[in-house]
Amino acid sequence: MTMRDSLEPAAEVDNSVADAGKTRKRPRPGERRLQILQVLAEMLQNPKGERVTTAALAAKIQVSEAALYRHFASKAQMFEGLIAFIEQTVFGLINQINQKEESGLAQARGMLQMLLFFAEKNPGMTRVLLGDALLQEDDRLQERITQVLDRVEASLKQALRIAQTQGGAWSHVSQDEVGIRAAMLMSFVLGRWHRFARSGFKKLPTEASDISLRILLSE
């Protein structure tokens, strides 16, 4: 899911107004807020990784900086909106995976594939997940994204614990090793994200991911 997907469809315009072309349709409540977040995410896709200023963001949307602050109290709050979108989307998808798959290994594989695919479809969000886009911003944003990543790792660990109880090759894995393996899988994801961002979003995180995950989840 991308930020664009979260935008509501535009309301129908009265024919007489549309035909006349004289009245500019005002955004519906909440639509401008979503637009700001969408454009911020798009600007973060700049391969050069340049810092996005509120002046540049306002110019891109063709509004004043004051208009931005009518929807967000600060730039930090805009980034908090992006992090909230990431969190809701990622954990919504994790819940779907866990409901669909009974196998712990299938759950872990599904989560890992989803994390790689999410980054690939949302390059700007990848910079937020890595913390690159949060440099020189409020320190609490780094703490917030760290909490999100810790929750993801905990979800992977839980999936591996389920695999441990389901017999097979994973039944002999110790509790301590489960935690180590979850951390290793998270490091793999972070490595793929870093490679993606460092390449200017050219080296896709899903490249040869099936083979990589088969090796990482094998015993």
Side-chain angles (χ1 to χ4, degrees), residues 22-40:
K22 296 179 181 179
T23 304
R24 183 178 179 180
K25 192 167 75 68
R26 293 175 62 83
R28 290 178 295 169
E31 192 174 70
R32 178 68 80 192
R33 182 182 175 90
L34 286 171
Q35 182 190 23
I36 291 169
L37 293 179
Q38 178 189 329
V39 173
L40 174 58

Side-chain angles (χ1 to χ4, degrees), residues 62-81:
Q62 297 183 326
V63 297
S64 66
E65 285 188 74
L68 296 181
Y69 291 116
R70 284 199 290 271
H71 300 278
F72 294 95
S74 64
K75 186 180 176 186
Q77 197 176 83
M78 297 177 200
F79 277 106
E80 285 176 341

Side-chain angles (χ1 to χ4, degrees), residues 129-179:
L129 284 162
L130 292 171
D132 295 352
L134 306 179
L135 296 175
Q136 302 180 54
E137 305 296 344
D138 195 303
D139 289 344
R140 75 175 185 273
L141 296 172
Q142 292 281 1
E143 295 172 2
R144 181 87 168 80
I145 203 65
T146 296
Q147 291 172 356
V148 172
L149 296 178
D150 285 347
R151 282 187 63 197
V152 172
E153 185 173 326
S155 297
L156 285 168
K157 187 176 181 179
Q158 180 59 29
L160 297 183
R161 280 177 174 166
I162 292 173
Q164 185 187 34
T165 66
Q166 291 175 327
W170 277 74
S171 59
H172 73 277
V173 176
S174 69
Q175 290 293 337
D176 288 342
E177 190 175 342
V178 165

Side-chain angles (χ1 to χ4, degrees), residues 1-128:
M1 182 179 183
T2 64
M3 178 64 70
R4 185 179 296 277
D5 295 331
S6 70
L7 287 173
E8 299 175 355
E12 293 184 2
V13 182
D14 180 84
N15 288 335
S16 61
V17 176
D19 292 341
K22 296 179 181 179
T23 304
R24 183 178 179 180
K25 192 167 75 68
R26 293 175 62 83
R28 290 178 295 169
E31 192 174 70
R32 178 68 80 192
R33 182 182 175 90
L34 286 171
Q35 182 190 23
I36 291 169
L37 293 179
Q38 178 189 329
V39 173
L40 174 58
E42 290 174 352
M43 293 179 73
L44 290 172
Q45 295 180 23
N46 184 342
K48 295 181 180 179
E50 295 176 353
R51 188 175 183 228
V52 176
T53 64
T54 52
L57 178 60
K60 187 79 171 178
I61 303 173
Q62 297 183 326
V63 297
S64 66
E65 285 188 74
L68 296 181
Y69 291 116
R70 284 199 290 271
H71 300 278
F72 294 95
S74 64
K75 186 180 176 186
Q77 197 176 83
M78 297 177 200
F79 277 106
E80 285 176 341
L82 288 184
I83 295 172
F85 170 81
I86 291 170
E87 187 171 34
Q88 291 167 10
T89 303
V90 166
F91 288 102
L93 292 171
I94 286 176
N95 288 336
Q96 289 179 27
I97 291 166
N98 290 343
Q99 289 171 9
K100 179 182 177 182
E101 304 288 355
E102 292 185 6
S103 163
L105 285 181
Q107 290 178 8
R109 185 180 296 106
M111 289 180 208
L112 293 166
Q113 289 173 333
M114 176 273 293
L115 291 168
L116 298 177
F117 185 77
F118 178 83
E120 186 170 307
K121 293 298 180 182
N122 298 277
M125 301 288 189
T126 303
R127 291 189 59 213
V128 175

Side-chain angles (χ1 to χ4, degrees), residues 200-213:
F201 306 120
K202 293 177 182 177
K203 294 184 178 180
L204 302 181
T206 57
E207 181 184 343
S209 60
D210 287 343
I211 297 173
S212 299
L213 296 182

